[in-house]
Amino acid sequence: GVWTFGKEVNMLVPFGEVNSQWREMATERAKKINSVGLYTNIGGALEKASQISPTSKKNAHIILLTDGMVDIDKDPSVNEKEWRRIVDEIIPMLKEQGFSVHTVALSDNADTHLMNKLSLATDGHAGVAKTAEELMPAFLKAFDAASPSQQLPIAGNRFVVDSSVEEFTALMFRDNPSD
């Protein structure tokens, strides 16, 4: 599933089996994602995402992408109280339920201290993407931590695929696009 969060938390794409119909819906609804919210309700987003989960929670994962700090009110003391609630209540609840939280901080303004706490406490992955070019590799690292895939090493600009493999996807990143 996909949730967006600012002051409110909204389910953009319902939790479900990832099939062609779900992908089509997710692709269409992803166009509605924006960053116009004045607040960053990280605690609310984590709570909502953890309420709807697979029947086997031992393999449940949350990937949290955020560009902000815990920010739910104009009053800094309210935000500090919410930060403490996330650390003292939400993280233990996620850990107890078997969730792994993988975080991607999208700017220098993100609370990387909290992102690291979330990831470390739940055996997740923490990453930072300060530019648009860094976003896809950071997200893919989080996604791969949530849903590990088999990978092949590249040696001498080549890789070998076993003859028993009938289908594979190659995803390549280059420092220099002309290479």
Side-chain angles (χ1 to χ4, degrees):
V2 179
W3 290 261
T4 59
F5 57 99
K7 185 169 182 76
E8 302 295 325
V9 178
N10 301 298
M11 182 186 295
L12 185 65
V13 180
F15 179 81
E17 180 184 345
V18 178
N19 55 30
S20 58
Q21 183 181 1
W22 188 94
R23 280 189 187 98
E24 187 177 313
M25 175 182 46
T27 300
E28 189 58 36
R29 292 186 182 174
K31 296 173 186 173
K32 297 179 182 178
I33 296 174
N34 61 56
S35 183
V36 297
L38 299 175
Y39 295 100
T40 308
N41 190 353
I42 294 171
L46 291 168
E47 286 175 316
K48 290 260 176 133
S50 67
Q51 289 173 359
I52 301 173
S53 63
T55 48
S56 174
K57 289 187 178 181
K58 68 179 179 177
N59 291 322
H61 299 267
I62 295 172
I63 299 176
L64 174 68
L65 285 85
T66 183
D67 62 355
M69 308 287 276
V70 173
D71 178 22
I72 61 171
D73 196 276
K74 291 180 182 177
D75 182 347
S77 66
V78 172
N79 297 328
E80 175 60 27
K81 185 176 178 182
E82 176 66 2
W83 194 96
R84 288 278 12 132
R85 186 179 80 84
I86 293 168
V87 172
D88 297 338
E89 297 174 24
I90 295 176
I91 291 176
M93 178 267 302
L94 291 167
K95 189 173 180 175
E96 181 181 317
Q97 290 183 357
F99 282 94
S100 292
V101 180
H102 312 281
T103 62
V104 178
L106 297 176
S107 77
D108 287 326
N109 296 329
D111 187 344
T112 54
H113 180 66
L114 179 61
M115 299 301 104
N116 289 335
K117 276 187 166 305
L118 278 161
S119 295
L120 285 172
T122 62
D123 296 322
H125 169 78
V128 178
K130 294 180 183 177
T131 66
E133 293 79 28
E134 294 174 346
L135 178 57
M136 184 59 77
F139 181 76
L140 287 173
K141 282 182 184 177
F143 188 76
D144 194 48
S147 178
S149 60
Q150 294 183 353
Q151 298 180 5
L152 297 171
I154 295 178
N157 211 23
R158 297 172 184 254
F159 60 94
V160 178
V161 179
D162 186 278
S163 62
S164 67
V165 175
E166 295 181 17
E167 182 178 340
F168 74 94
T169 300
L171 183 59
M172 297 173 260
F173 296 96
R174 299 180 193 135
D175 290 333
N176 182 352
S178 65
D179 290 344

